[in-house]
């Protein structure tokens, strides 16, 4: 029985060691699992960010395609408008050249009339300049008179202030004398 008991105790001891080894392995596996879960959550968060970026880029791409389609349509319209305007311009140019050749004498008459008007305007400018010089002289004269009157008014005001101060001093003295009485 003792042998059996010793044998059993040794077996229990071995089993305990195996259990400790297994517990160590379990803890190691548990740590690895927790680290893997953390990494997994981090990767899931990164995937969510990447998905958001992809969705944004996808929306931008769709909007860019729509904008490109609109620009292509606008470009076609502009090309048609350019062709129409070039034709219209050429027609207008041809018409203008015909009218210009036909009305050259009329333009010369207008030019002569314009020269006469310019001469009249130049005369008017000379008259205006003379009027301005006359007004400038008058303004200078009036300004000098106003400055002289202003100096006199300042002198009168200064004298009035001095008289007022003198009156206040006299009044103060009289009030002091009355207070003494």
């Amino acid at each position: 029985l003792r042998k059996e008991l010793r044998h059993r105790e040794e077996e229990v001891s071995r089993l305990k060691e195996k259990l400790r080894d297994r517990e160590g392995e379990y803890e190691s596996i548990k740590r690895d699992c927790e680290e893997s879960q953390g990494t997994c959550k981090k990767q899931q968060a990164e995937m969510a960010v990447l998905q958001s970026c992809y969705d944004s880029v996808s929306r931008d791409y769709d909007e860019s395609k729509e904008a490109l389609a609109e620009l292509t349509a606008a470009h076609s319209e502009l090309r048609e408008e350019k062709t129409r305007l070039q034709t219209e311009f050429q027609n207008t140019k041809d018409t203008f050249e015909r009218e210009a050749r036909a009305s050259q004498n009329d333009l010369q008459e207008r030019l002569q009339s314009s020269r006469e008007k310019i001469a009249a305007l130049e005369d008017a400018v000379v008259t205006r300049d003379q009027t301005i010089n006359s007004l400038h002289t008058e303004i200078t004269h009036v300004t000098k008179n106003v400055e002289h009157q202003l100096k006199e008014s300042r002198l009168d005001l200064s004298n009035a202030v001095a008289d007022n101060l003198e009156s206040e001093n006299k009044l103060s003295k009289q009030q002091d004398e009355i207070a003494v009485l």
Side-chain angles (χ1 to χ4, degrees):
L1 283 174
R2 282 186 188 168
K3 272 185 180 180
E4 182 68 29
L5 182 61
R6 215 177 300 129
H7 179 68
R8 296 276 178 172
E9 285 175 351
E10 287 172 4
E11 195 175 324
V12 166
S13 230
R14 274 193 317 269
L15 289 173
K16 281 184 180 178
E17 282 181 34
K18 276 187 178 180
L19 181 63
R20 276 195 294 274
D21 290 343
R22 294 281 183 183
E23 284 176 348
E25 288 175 15
Y26 171 76
E27 288 299 322
S28 174
I29 290 169
K30 185 178 173 184
R31 278 193 304 276
D32 290 346
C33 184
E34 287 172 353
E35 288 176 8
S36 293
Q37 284 178 341
T39 303
C40 184
K41 286 180 183 175
K42 191 175 178 184
Q43 287 175 344
Q44 285 175 341
E46 290 173 358
M47 281 295 289
V49 169
L50 288 173
Q51 184 64 42
S52 172
C53 289
Y54 174 78
D55 293 343
S56 176
V57 167
S58 180
R59 278 192 305 274
D60 290 347
Y61 174 74
D62 291 342
E63 289 172 4
S64 295
K65 273 184 15 183
E66 290 173 12
L68 179 61
E70 289 174 7
L71 285 173
T72 303
H75 180 67
S76 295
E77 289 176 14
L78 285 174
R79 221 174 326 152
E80 291 171 8
E81 182 69 9
K82 178 184 173 188
T83 303
R84 187 187 67 75
L85 287 173
Q86 283 175 334
T87 303
E88 188 177 321
F89 172 76
Q90 189 59 45
N91 292 340
T92 303
K93 180 181 172 190
D94 294 344
T95 303
F96 177 76
E97 287 175 352
R98 278 192 308 274
E99 289 177 358
R101 282 189 298 271
S103 64
Q104 189 171 10
N105 289 337
D106 182 49
L107 289 174
Q108 293 212 345
E109 288 175 8
R110 288 182 186 178
L111 179 62
Q112 183 59 35
S113 173
S114 294
R115 286 181 180 154
E116 291 170 1
K117 286 178 183 176
I118 289 170
L121 285 172
E122 287 174 345
D123 290 344
V125 167
V126 169
T127 304
R128 186 204 63 192
D129 287 346
Q130 291 171 347
T131 304
I132 288 172
N133 288 337
S134 172
L135 286 172
H136 181 68
T137 303
E138 189 174 332
I139 287 169
T140 303
H141 179 69
V142 168
T143 303
K144 286 181 181 175
N145 284 343
V146 168
E147 287 175 351
H148 179 71
Q149 289 174 359
L150 184 62
K151 284 180 185 175
E152 288 179 355
S153 296
R154 284 183 183 156
L155 183 62
D156 291 345
L157 180 63
S158 180
N159 289 338
V161 167
D163 290 346
N164 190 22
L165 284 173
E166 187 178 327
S167 296
E168 285 180 5
N169 286 338
K170 284 181 183 177
L171 180 62
S172 177
K173 284 181 185 176
Q174 287 175 354
Q175 286 176 342
D176 289 345
E177 288 174 2
I178 290 171
V180 169
L181 290 175

